[in-house]
């Protein structure tokens, strides 16, 4: 049972490290989503400001189009980052679930072995305490 307890401790540590990695992934994804939302808001605001201007020179219009194109590319790049982080988080969730299930299985096995050992010891004690039977060891 000593080896099983060592393996269980190792699994608990593995589960903790997996949970920490998952928390980091979630935080990174949330930050990337916030950045994406901010870029989207900026894009919409910039577009709205350009639409509200009634008179614009062709140079101002070209400058708007260049900046808007760059801003759109930044939004698309940020979407790619968010998707990559979501995928990474999904993989990390899978790893955490596996670690958690392994740890729970080991805990159950350890509990079953301890219960079986206690039952065995109690059975032997009852057998020795039965009245009317002689103890062959005496």
């Amino acid at each position: 049972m000593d080896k099983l307890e060592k393996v269980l401790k190792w699994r608990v540590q593995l589960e903790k490290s997996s949970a920490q990695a998952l928390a980091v992934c979630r935080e990174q994804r949330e930050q990337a989503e916030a950045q994406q939302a901010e870029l989207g808001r900026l894009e919409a605001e910039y577009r709205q400001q350009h639409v509200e201007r009634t008179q614009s020179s062709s140079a101002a219009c070209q400058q708007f189009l260049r900046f808007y194109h760059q801003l759109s590319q930044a939004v698309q790049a940020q979407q790619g980052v968010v998707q990559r982080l979501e995928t990474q988080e999904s993989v990390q969730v899978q790893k955490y679930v596996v670690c958690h299930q392994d740890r729970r299985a080991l805990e159950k096995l350890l509990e079953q072995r301890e219960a079986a050992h206690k039952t065995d010891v109690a059975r032997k004690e009852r057998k020795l305490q039965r009245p009317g039977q002689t103890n062959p060891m005496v």
Side-chain angles (χ1 to χ4, degrees):
M1 281 214 233
D2 205 23
K3 289 181 183 179
L4 187 60
E5 289 172 355
K6 288 180 182 179
V7 171
L8 181 61
K9 286 180 183 179
W10 178 72
R11 283 296 187 179
V12 167
Q13 184 59 36
L14 189 64
E15 182 181 6
K16 285 180 183 178
S17 66
S18 180
Q20 289 171 347
L22 177 58
V24 168
C25 283
R26 284 188 174 159
E27 184 179 324
Q28 289 175 345
R29 180 191 45 83
E30 289 169 359
Q31 288 175 352
E33 286 176 343
Q35 290 173 350
Q36 180 184 11
E38 183 63 27
L39 282 172
R41 186 195 61 75
L42 181 63
E43 181 182 33
E45 182 180 308
Y46 190 71
R47 185 179 342 111
Q48 185 63 32
Q49 287 176 357
H50 182 71
V51 169
E52 289 174 356
R53 293 185 195 157
T54 55
Q55 303 230 338
S56 300
S57 67
S58 65
C61 187
Q62 288 178 348
Q63 182 182 5
F64 163 78
L65 289 175
R66 279 193 302 268
F67 181 75
Y68 188 75
H69 180 70
Q70 290 174 347
L71 188 57
S72 295
Q73 286 178 335
V75 168
Q76 290 174 353
Q78 191 63 28
Q79 285 174 341
V81 168
V82 168
Q83 288 175 347
R84 180 181 56 80
L85 288 172
E86 285 174 346
T87 302
Q88 189 178 19
E89 180 183 3
S90 176
V91 168
Q92 199 60 43
V93 166
Q94 293 284 337
K95 287 180 181 179
Y96 174 75
V97 167
V98 168
C99 288
H100 179 73
Q101 290 173 342
D102 287 349
R103 180 188 58 82
R104 290 294 300 150
L106 282 172
E107 284 177 345
K108 285 182 181 180
L109 180 61
L110 189 60
E111 288 171 4
Q112 289 172 351
R113 285 188 176 178
E114 287 176 3
H117 177 71
K118 286 179 183 178
T119 304
D120 218 17
V121 167
R123 187 176 297 135
K124 286 179 183 177
E125 287 177 1
R126 279 194 310 264
K127 194 174 188 181
L128 289 175
Q129 294 174 358
R130 287 185 189 159
Q133 290 187 351
T134 59
N135 191 347
M137 299 302 280
V138 179

